Amino acid sequence: MGKIIATLLGLLTLLLGSGLWIGLGLIGTGVGLLTLFRPNMPGLKLLAQQTYNVVVSPELLALPLFILMAEILFRTKISEALFTGLSPWLRRVPGRLSHLTVLGCTMFASVCGSSAATTATVGRITAKELIDRGYNRDLVTGSLAGAGTLGFLIPPSTIMIIYGVMAEESILRLFIAGIVPGLMLAASYMGYLAIRSWLNPALVGATPPRTSFREKMVALKDLGPLLLLIAGVIGSMYGGIASPTEAATVGVVVSMIIGFAQRTLTLGGLLSAARQAAESCAMIGLIMIGAMFLSTMIGYLGVPRYIATEIQSWGMSPLMLVVVLLIFYVLLGTVMEGLGIIVMTLPITLPLAVAAGYDKVWFGIFLVIVVEMAQITPPVGFNLTVIQRLTGDSMGRITRATMPFFLIMAAFVLLIAVFPGIIGFLPDLIRGN
């Protein structure tokens, strides 16, 4: 078994390190393992079967629709509406407008599903506005990096859809499970911003003028389109009216209406959004095919069972296993992006978590959070790259500004490990009803 594992790691390092597409690298690794250790197995037939399973999977049908919705929303005035609609309500709370980034990302994440899209859409307005108003630059960029990752945790989430298909778990149940942790994490970010600004008021600039209640209510009308979209997507799913795929269709239609009504979306822009969505889906589809194929291969070779047995023989407690997995995924996040991390490690780490007493839904949320941490881990952290393009700051400065929010996420992972009911409470309550 040692020779098989060494060959697996060697092929992955060679192919992925050469710059080959992740999907092709995973397929090549699977083919190499078959050729060396199971030459009599019908490799091409298995690859064709896995390709067919991914292409016709009804659960994955929601993925391109949510990606298309995010691309359309990126071409609307949603980010401007978030700023003007929320800012009058935050001028006198501790932390003032610094909370705009967290609240904006939280609201946009509830209709987006992409961490990078959430960061780019909210950040292109809030980052410049807050820095121009005298807010501490590092506080602004750090909060944007941390809050932008909520695009993966707060449903709908593209990562949850992929995990649900690979782990054979209900996508809707995963969506429901992400609500409470997502809101708690957002509240933790806001709590940190409030404490920092209370300790050092100079971080949040001059005190803005008071806003009357009437002005606050008038500002809410700017949030109307986004609230309508949230109600259409989230409300239809959790109300039992629509499946995730049908809710994604509603989201695409409503986002198109918003874009055309705001006169920011043209037919050319719609075609551009569709083209970008198709490219993203093709990339994800190839990765999924490669991941499923490689998972099948290492399953036939007994690698997951062997590793699980070895780790269980160490006698680690469930909490210690979570700490080890957390460190493992953070280290992977320094050299790989989130989707690649999930598809490559899931066949091995999921059985370990289940054997330790955690269910698939809990592990799915855990995995989403550690992938979020990978999004803000240099040098590959994609959210850091997005913020660098928005602000022009050096990667080192952005990384230092992000560190407090990274540590908050790490502490939150340990919290849900000690109290797994944080994740299971809402899904169990809804299923019970």
Side-chain angles (χ1 to χ4, degrees):
M1 186 57 68
K3 184 184 294 185
I4 294 176
I5 295 175
T7 303
L8 169 65
L9 296 176
L11 286 173
L12 281 174
T13 302
L14 176 64
L15 294 176
L16 298 182
S18 68
L20 190 66
W21 291 349
I22 293 177
L24 295 180
L26 297 177
I27 292 173
T29 301
V31 171
L33 290 175
L34 271 183
T35 304
L36 292 173
F37 300 105
R38 292 291 188 275
N40 296 326
M41 288 187 65
L44 291 178
K45 183 177 180 180
L46 288 171
L47 178 58
Q49 183 64 52
Q50 294 298 342
T51 302
Y52 177 80
N53 291 342
V54 170
V55 171
V56 302
S57 172
E59 292 83 5
L60 280 178
L61 187 58
L63 186 62
L65 293 170
F66 280 125
I67 293 175
L68 176 58
M69 182 174 64
E71 290 290 342
I72 294 173
L73 289 175
F74 187 70
R75 292 160 173 80
T76 66
K77 293 181 179 179
I78 288 293
S79 55
E80 293 94 327
L82 284 170
F83 191 92
T84 57
L86 292 173
S87 58
W89 294 86
L90 299 172
R91 291 179 179 177
R92 292 290 174 171
V93 301
R96 298 176 191 152
L97 299 185
S98 64
H99 298 301
L100 268 173
T101 300
V102 178
L103 288 176
C105 288
T106 302
M107 294 184 68
F108 190 76
S110 64
V111 293
C112 175
S114 166
S115 174
T118 299
T119 303
T121 302
V122 177
R124 64 179 178 176
I125 297 296
T126 59
K128 183 179 184 304
E129 284 285 343
L130 293 178
I131 292 172
D132 288 347
R133 291 176 184 231
Y135 283 70
N136 180 267
R137 194 178 192 91
D138 291 343
L139 196 68
V140 172
T141 55
S143 62
L144 178 59
T149 62
L150 295 173
F152 279 158
L153 183 56
I154 295 178
S157 165
T158 54
I159 289 290
M160 285 187 189
I161 294 173
I162 294 170
Y163 172 83
V165 171
M166 294 191 65
E168 299 181 346
E169 182 57 67
S170 166
I171 293 173
L172 183 57
R173 185 168 167 80
L174 287 167
F175 280 1
I176 296 172
I179 295 175
V180 173
L183 295 178
M184 289 181 64
L185 200 53
S188 300
Y189 294 155
M190 294 178 70
Y192 170 77
L193 292 173
I195 293 172
R196 281 290 306 276
S197 63
W198 177 68
L199 294 175
N200 186 2
L203 294 175
V204 292
T207 304
R210 290 186 178 274
T211 306
S212 68
F213 181 74
R214 180 179 180 279
E215 289 174 321
K216 292 178 180 178
M217 296 305 295
V218 170
L220 286 180
K221 72 177 184 353
D222 292 332
L223 298 177
L226 182 59
L227 294 177
L228 175 64
L229 186 58
I230 293 174
V233 176
I234 304 298
S236 61
M237 277 194 296
Y238 301 149
I241 301 173
S243 66
T245 302
E246 293 165 340
T249 305
V250 171
V252 170
V253 173
V254 175
S255 61
M256 288 172 57
I257 294 173
I258 292 173
F260 287 128
Q262 293 178 342
R263 300 182 184 275
T264 56
L265 182 66
T266 63
L267 289 178
L270 182 59
L271 289 175
S272 175
R275 183 165 54 250
Q276 286 292 115
E279 291 176 0
S280 298
C281 292
M283 179 270 293
I284 292 173
L286 183 60
I287 292 176
M288 288 289 294
I289 290 169
M292 298 294 244
F293 178 65
L294 181 59
S295 297
T296 302
M297 294 307 99
I298 64 176
Y300 278 131
L301 295 173
V303 174
R305 184 174 59 253
Y306 171 80
I307 293 178
T309 302
E310 285 295 309
I311 293 180
Q312 287 173 2
S313 68
W314 298 350
M316 288 190 297
S317 66
L319 182 59
M320 190 61 204
L321 175 64
V322 169
V323 172
V324 170
L325 290 177
L326 173 61
I327 296 172
F328 169 69
Y329 278 113
V330 168
L331 291 176
L332 278 182
T334 63
V335 295
M336 291 187 64
E337 53 81 36
L339 179 58
I341 292 173
I342 288 180
V343 298
M344 286 179 54
T345 63
L346 191 63
I348 295 173
T349 55
L350 179 59
L352 291 176
V354 172
Y358 298 108
D359 65 14
K360 291 182 179 180
V361 172
W362 182 92
F363 188 69
I365 302 303
F366 163 83
L367 201 55
V368 168
I369 297 175
V370 295
V371 166
E372 288 177 341
M373 297 172 70
Q375 291 289 105
I376 55 176
T377 305
V380 182
F382 193 59
N383 279 25
L384 302 183
T385 304
V386 172
I387 294 173
Q388 187 179 38
R389 292 173 183 170
L390 289 173
T391 64
D393 291 345
S394 68
M395 187 63 73
R397 180 171 185 175
I398 296 172
T399 301
R400 288 191 297 272
T402 304
M403 189 53 59
F405 298 89
F406 180 89
L407 295 177
I408 289 173
M409 296 171 71
F412 190 76
V413 168
L414 299 180
L415 178 67
I416 63 173
V418 176
F419 302 103
I422 292 173
I423 292 174
F425 165 72
L426 192 57
D428 291 343
L429 179 65
I430 293 178
R431 183 169 62 177
N433 289 338

